[in-house]
Amino acid sequence: MPLNVMINSRPLRVLHQRTFSQRLGEILHFCLGSILSLRAFDPSEKEIQSLINKALAYHHEPLEDRVHLRDEASKILQNIQKANLWKDLQNLLENKFPIYRELEGYFGLEEKLLRPDLLAKGDREWLLLEFKLKEEQLNEEQLTLYCSFLKTIFPDHTIKVYAVIFQPPKLKFIKALSPTRDYHESPSLPRTTQLSLFK
């Protein structure tokens, strides 16, 4: 299925309404999502700082908070690049094209608006990557919903789900769903499932 994607320019949530960990996670999410979606696996320190500054530029934060968030994000991203996670991500996304960041879709069967962190298209498969600051923040119900959503749209593809954990850095395999054997194109599919940026 050919896919054309428009960039979904969605600002981060208002940072002053979030805890420090939530704000830090959102900044890291923005930075790593940008790097991976561009397949820029060797970003310079200048490029990383530019991404952090861009994430912070969406909001008006007190100078002290901005400095602390920038320092923590920079340190964690440096650790990620030195960890096995970085090579794991490169290997996982090798030969995967295209890569989509935060595509927004409406899952009519559940009446929910969904926005998976990162999707990558492989040969008859989709990879779903969910970003979390800490492993304990993983939400099994959310991941199950994402899987059901993708399976409804792409029943003849394998769906593989991974968690990208920032602290400590690691790639965690969650589950894989095989192609549905009795797949038949359903004319009613667009009425139950809409992925607004897939055309």
Side-chain angles (χ1 to χ4, degrees):
M1 173 186 295
L3 303 175
N4 295 320
V5 177
M6 296 167 44
I7 299 299
N8 182 12
S9 55
R10 178 182 65 91
L12 300 174
R13 293 179 182 88
V14 179
L15 287 180
H16 69 269
Q17 296 176 348
R18 314 284 279 163
T19 67
F20 182 84
S21 291
Q22 289 170 325
R23 290 182 285 171
L24 179 60
E26 288 179 359
I27 290 167
L28 293 168
H29 180 293
F30 174 85
C31 294
L32 193 60
S34 298
I35 290 168
L36 296 180
S37 64
L38 296 172
R39 305 172 69 88
F41 290 110
D42 191 23
S44 67
E45 178 62 26
K46 183 178 179 181
E47 290 169 324
I48 289 174
Q49 290 305 315
S50 177
L51 284 172
I52 294 171
N53 289 336
K54 186 174 180 181
L56 286 167
Y58 283 113
H59 311 279
H60 301 289
E61 285 289 296
L63 179 59
E64 185 178 338
D65 287 353
R66 292 174 70 83
V67 169
H68 193 190
L69 285 165
R70 184 182 291 114
D71 289 347
E72 281 299 304
S74 181
K75 183 169 63 176
I76 292 170
L77 286 168
Q78 286 175 6
N79 289 339
I80 287 173
Q81 286 183 283
K82 295 173 187 173
N84 290 335
L85 168 61
W86 200 242
K87 286 186 179 179
D88 291 342
L89 287 170
Q90 290 181 60
N91 292 334
L92 185 67
L93 295 174
E94 186 179 19
N95 301 321
K96 303 297 186 294
F97 184 83
I99 299 174
Y100 303 108
R101 181 167 59 108
E102 291 194 311
L103 286 178
E104 186 175 277
Y106 177 72
F107 192 12
L109 296 175
E110 296 287 337
E111 297 184 354
K112 290 185 183 292
L113 189 65
L114 303 178
R115 191 181 286 114
D117 289 341
L118 201 80
L119 292 172
K121 176 78 170 72
D123 183 24
R124 307 294 295 177
E125 73 174 6
W126 282 92
L127 303 182
L128 189 157
L129 277 64
E130 181 70 8
F131 299 149
K132 293 296 178 187
L133 183 62
K134 304 273 189 183
E135 187 170 349
E136 55 266 26
Q137 295 173 337
L138 281 172
N139 183 329
E140 187 175 338
E141 183 180 339
Q142 180 186 39
L143 293 177
T144 299
L145 198 58
Y146 287 162
C147 287
S148 299
F149 181 49
L150 288 172
K151 213 53 186 152
T152 302
I153 303 173
F154 305 107
D156 58 338
H157 284 62
T158 298
I159 311 294
K160 294 180 181 175
V161 183
Y162 295 84
V164 177
I165 311 299
F166 298 141
Q167 286 187 311
K170 73 173 180 178
L171 182 68
K172 179 177 180 177
F173 173 74
I174 304 294
K175 67 168 80 174
L177 301 176
S178 301
T180 305
R181 292 181 186 169
D182 60 347
Y183 165 70
H184 296 288
E185 191 73 47
S186 169
S188 65
L189 186 58
R191 291 197 295 271
T192 58
T193 307
Q194 302 165 18
L195 196 50
S196 62
L197 301 183
F198 284 2
K199 300 204 179 210

